[in-house]
Amino acid sequence: MKRLWPVSLALFALVVTGCDEGGGGEGSSASAPAISAPAIVDGGLRESQPEEADRKEVVTGYLEMDAGDPVATGRRVVAVVEEAGGRVDSLTEQPEASSVLTVRVPADRLDEVVDEIRTLGRVTSLSTTRDDVTMQYTDLEARVGALRASVDRLRALLESSADVEALIAAETALAERQAELDSLEAQRRQLGDRIELSTLTVDITTDRLPSEQDSFWDGLVAGWNSLWAALGAAVVGIGAALPWVAFLFVCAGVLYLVIRLITRRGRSSGTTGTPDTERTDSDA
């Protein structure tokens, strides 16, 4: 009997193994992870691809153009930007010379606005830059979410705790976390504004040379303006020289008085010495 025990155990193990392999065929195939085959669409194969993450981009552009009237063209650019839902951040105008604008345009309408601006003059240069800030924006959102949850927990602790020391520590931590949360939310709003509204700088200059005149009247007006400019410069120069002229006049007057005093003293000393000499001669 002792010799039969090992044989019986071996037979039992073989039977159990066979039952597992025979009865578990369908179960194992059902429980195994299914490998999806490529789907057949329109007679072709389409592989399943993961969806792309929502990209966040900051777009900036610079456009240079020539126009006959830079100021009027710049105002038309302002109208185009405002119609597209944008705004003007800065505007610098020099009549008959140039107009420089920094505008903010919705990112999805930037190309449309640029195409409209191109029709207002002769474009000499155009450049755009796209910066991917997806990771930065995602990081800010994650940090804001974590800090907001921490602030909520600290507020709940303040409402439920009765220990004075714990309340003081919780209030200090809450103030620090709230300040950090406000700073991160401000950064996220600023970055979101740069993502939503692209920045475009438009530099408009005139395509006419300063010496070019269309008619006799234009030449007359230009000559009159240059005459007034020269007279104005001369008046400014005279005004600047008057203090120096007055100072030199005072110095010359003082010098003249000093010379007169010295001359008078010399003459008086010479007149007083002549009678003494004559008296000495007569005594002799």
Side-chain angles (χ1 to χ4, degrees):
M1 293 295 295
K2 292 181 180 180
R3 293 179 180 177
L4 291 176
W5 273 107
V7 178
S8 301
L9 290 174
L11 290 174
F12 180 76
L14 289 175
V15 171
V16 171
T17 304
C19 290
D20 289 338
E21 291 178 357
E26 294 181 359
S28 61
S29 62
S31 60
I35 302 176
S36 59
I40 301 177
V41 179
D42 296 334
L45 295 179
R46 183 184 65 184
E47 296 183 358
S48 58
Q49 296 179 353
E51 296 182 358
E52 293 184 358
D54 186 16
R55 294 185 60 186
K56 306 291 183 182
E57 291 182 338
V58 174
V59 184
T60 56
Y62 185 80
L63 187 148
E64 289 183 353
M65 61 186 302
D66 292 337
D69 190 346
V71 174
T73 305
R75 292 174 183 174
R76 294 174 64 185
V77 170
V78 171
V80 170
V81 170
E82 290 178 349
E83 287 177 2
R87 68 173 189 263
V88 179
D89 281 356
S90 67
L91 171 61
T92 304
E93 293 180 348
Q94 294 183 359
E96 301 181 1
S98 67
S99 180
V100 182
L101 305 92
T102 300
V103 299
R104 305 292 303 281
V105 183
D108 56 347
R109 302 195 63 180
L110 178 62
D111 295 336
E112 175 186 346
V113 170
V114 169
D115 290 340
E116 276 195 65
I117 294 175
R118 291 170 69 100
T119 63
L120 302 179
R122 185 175 67 88
V123 176
T124 58
S125 175
L126 174 62
S127 62
T128 57
T129 304
R130 294 179 178 269
D131 295 328
D132 191 349
V133 294
T134 306
M135 295 298 297
Q136 182 180 353
Y137 190 83
T138 305
D139 179 65
L140 282 174
E141 280 193 330
R143 293 170 64 186
V144 166
L147 278 174
R148 186 175 289 117
S150 178
V151 167
D152 293 340
R153 287 194 299 269
L154 287 172
R155 287 176 177 170
L157 179 62
L158 285 174
E159 294 175 357
S160 61
S161 178
D163 188 4
V164 177
E165 294 183 356
L167 287 174
I168 294 174
E171 287 179 353
T172 304
L174 178 60
E176 294 176 355
R177 299 291 172 81
Q178 186 64 49
E180 188 176 358
L181 177 61
D182 293 342
S183 175
L184 288 178
E185 287 181 339
Q187 294 179 28
R188 186 181 63 174
R189 285 194 300 269
Q190 182 181 10
L191 183 60
D193 180 72
R194 293 174 58 197
I195 294 171
E196 183 180 358
L197 296 176
S198 301
T199 303
L200 177 65
T201 301
V202 183
D203 189 353
I204 308 170
T205 55
T206 181
D207 54 358
R208 294 174 52 187
L209 296 176
S211 60
E212 290 183 356
Q213 307 299 334
D214 294 337
S215 63
F216 171 78
W217 178 254
D218 290 338
L220 181 61
V221 171
W224 182 258
N225 292 334
S226 62
L227 174 62
W228 275 108
L231 290 177
V235 169
V236 172
I238 292 172
L242 276 178
W244 289 97
V245 172
F247 175 73
L248 293 175
F249 181 77
V250 171
C251 292
V254 172
L255 182 61
Y256 176 75
L257 291 176
V258 171
I259 293 174
R260 288 291 301 273
L261 289 175
I262 294 175
T263 305
R264 285 181 180 180
R265 286 183 181 179
R267 288 179 180 177
S268 61
S269 63
T271 345
T272 53
T274 304
D276 295 337
T277 309
E278 293 177 352
R279 188 178 304 169
T280 305
D281 295 338
S282 61
D283 292 341

